[in-house]
Amino acid sequence: MLSALSQWLFSTSGLEPHGYCLLWEPGLIWLYALSDAATAVAYFCIPLTLITIGRRRRDLVFQPMLALFAAFILLCGATHWLDLLTLWAPLYGLQGVIKLATAITSIITAIALWRCLPYFLALPSVDQLRQANAALLASEERLAHAQKMEALGQLTGGIAHDFNNVLQVIAGSLSVIDRRMGSEGGTQIRPSLEAIRKASNTASSLVNRMLAFSRRQTLVPREVEPDKLVASLREMLRRTLGPEIQLDLHLERCRSNVSCDPSQLESALLNLAINARDAMPQGGSLRITTVDRKFDDDLPDPEARPGSYVEFEVVDNGEGMTGEVLERAFEPFFTTKPTGRGTGLGLSQIYGFAKQSGGFVRIESKLGEGTSVRLFLPGHAPSGKLAIEDNAALAGSDLVSSAFRGMALVVEDQAEVRSQIAGALEEIGYAVLEAADGVAGLKALESAGALDLLVSDIGLPGLSGRQLAEIARAARPALPILLITGYAGASLENLKIVPGMDVLRKPFTLDELTARVQSLLMGGALMQ
């Protein structure tokens, strides 16, 4: 059977070579011969290229398609070699078999191509790859920035608690000296004390701004009416800006409230106003606008979540910024102001406050045209539980009294700070129990009879101040609790500030302490 098949394929009896059809015309013979030879060589080179690609790029998804293409093109090349051979030898049977194999391979290749067509169409274009690479680079830059902020936050958080405790000793000691000087004189050293107080406040501000930028500051979120808060700053803004700058407030547009630390929001708006003032040395205008915003998918910030926001926009017509300055505007310690006139932490503090509050900041500026800073904070429908404003004036004659007010427990690991707090509470009529850590505070809490006030540091060894406060609130629901902190880290996350509880940041003066105690007592009286 094999011999019969071989005889059929290679038999030339009765057949004439292809050159006979061309009448053995030399020109035609050479034209056909050279064309088929060149085509065959090219067809044999293409599969070699495909095989090389497949061997070197084993990660390619479509390697089977490369093999099919290589086989198909090899067979096409073989047909051209046979076309060249049949010019002189009539091997038409073998040529037919090669053509049949080529046809079968081409059909398989065509079917495979159609089945893979959706995958081919889904392959990204050069522009899409370029955009994806640009997005990847941007993500890497954000990651590097986040890592830098994390490192800064760890460094800042590591020193903030101890540093604020040192500042608290200074600030508390100054308050004690002030109180004694009020009755005993000492006017000659008052300028020196004021210099110490100013230096202490500056150092405290720097630490708080670094914590704000690294998103580790202690925030006490409360529900705030945006329009009301901005309106309450009107007079302070006018004094800050001076008569040369016109202040324009566009309010009464917000139906949503925001949950944030009101003092930090006020500080952010004042910082923006000061920056605007410095950018308008010859005078100008400053506009502050509040408005509700709704974002679905097209968010201006990649870290923001869709939803309702309240926008605080501060716009000036001052000098503006160049593109290079604009790119570095939120970097910590970057400033264009002369040495001694700025720390470079104002905008970075606003950036950190916005991020820590679940919002974001956008800044636009053109040289010679002015600057627009937009602060976005998550908005929600009013709940009716608005923040009660602290009034330092409440710490006046009502509290400065030796009348007995009850028993207070002070839990603080820094002996000097604990002594100052205890002394201030004793001056306003409290008998004071002291504890140096959370475990000792818990024992005092359990053993004490009637207890009328708990003042505790948050960053305590062993049992934290927050845990102690939660235990105390569970056992004594009506007990006023004042938490104090220089740096709480994650201890205040998800802490709900309920009536009868408050947070005071270190360093604080003793007058601020007594004012906050008065606020707690008034809150408790209103609840009763």
Side-chain angles (χ1 to χ4, degrees), residues 37-233:
T39 304
V41 170
Y43 273 17
F44 271 62
C45 289
I46 293 173
L48 289 175
T49 305
L50 295 177
I51 292 172
T52 303
I53 293 173
R55 293 185 63 181
R56 295 188 179 182
R57 289 294 306 275
R58 297 185 182 276
D59 60 317
L60 294 176
V61 179
F62 303 107
Q63 281 206 0
M65 290 302 306
L66 292 178
L68 279 175
F69 271 116
F72 169 68
I73 297 172
L74 274 173
L75 289 170
C76 288
T79 60
H80 282 280
W81 283 120
L82 285 172
D83 286 341
L84 175 63
L85 185 60
T86 55
L87 285 173
W88 291 278
L91 300 175
Y92 297 122
L94 180 60
Q95 186 181 34
V97 172
I98 297 298
K99 285 184 179 291
L100 176 61
T102 304
I104 294 172
T105 306
S106 64
I107 291 172
I108 295 173
T109 304
I111 293 173
L113 277 173
W114 277 106
R115 295 190 65 176
C116 293
L117 182 62
Y119 301 102
F120 292 146
L121 294 177
L123 290 173
S125 65
V126 175
D127 288 339
Q128 289 174 326
L129 288 174
R130 188 179 295 111
Q131 292 173 3
N133 286 333
L136 180 60
L137 289 174
S139 298
E140 290 177 350
E141 289 179 359
R142 288 196 298 270
L143 177 61
H145 178 74
Q147 291 173 338
K148 181 173 69 174
M149 293 306 101
E150 181 67 19
L152 177 61
Q154 291 176 353
L155 174 63
T156 305
I159 66 172
H161 182 267
D162 293 336
F163 192 65
N164 275 330
N165 272 340
V166 173
L167 291 174
Q168 178 57 51
V169 174
I170 297 172
S173 300
L174 288 172
S175 297
V176 173
I177 294 172
D178 270 343
R179 291 184 175 186
R180 293 182 178 178
M181 283 174 50
S183 59
E184 301 174 8
T187 56
Q188 294 180 349
I189 64 171
R190 191 173 295 277
S192 299
L193 294 176
E194 289 299 325
I196 297 173
R197 181 179 290 107
K198 183 178 179 181
S200 173
N201 291 339
T202 301
S204 173
S205 176
L206 285 173
V207 172
N208 288 333
R209 288 185 176 190
M210 291 174 67
L211 286 171
F213 178 66
S214 57
R215 309 183 203 178
R216 282 172 166 77
Q217 66 177 333
T218 303
L219 296 180
V220 186
R222 304 177 189 274
E223 185 172 347
V224 176
E225 289 181 283
D227 293 337
K228 185 177 179 181
L229 182 139
V230 176
S232 68
L233 296 175

Side-chain angles (χ1 to χ4, degrees), residues 366-437:
K366 289 185 178 180
L367 194 62
E369 297 184 12
T371 302
S372 168
V373 181
R374 294 179 295 161
L375 170 62
F376 296 87
L377 296 178
H380 56 81
S383 66
K385 299 178 181 179
L386 296 175
I388 300 175
E389 296 180 1
D390 292 329
N391 189 350
L394 295 176
S397 59
D398 289 342
L399 264 182
V400 182
S401 169
S402 59
F404 181 70
R405 297 184 179 277
M407 181 67 68
L409 173 60
V410 177
V411 188
E412 165 63 57
D413 58 328
Q414 186 83 9
E416 295 86 353
V417 178
R418 185 171 67 249
S419 175
Q420 290 173 354
I421 295 173
L425 293 178
E426 288 172 350
E427 284 187 6
I428 60 176
Y430 281 99
V432 180
L433 291 174
E434 298 184 28
D437 55 50

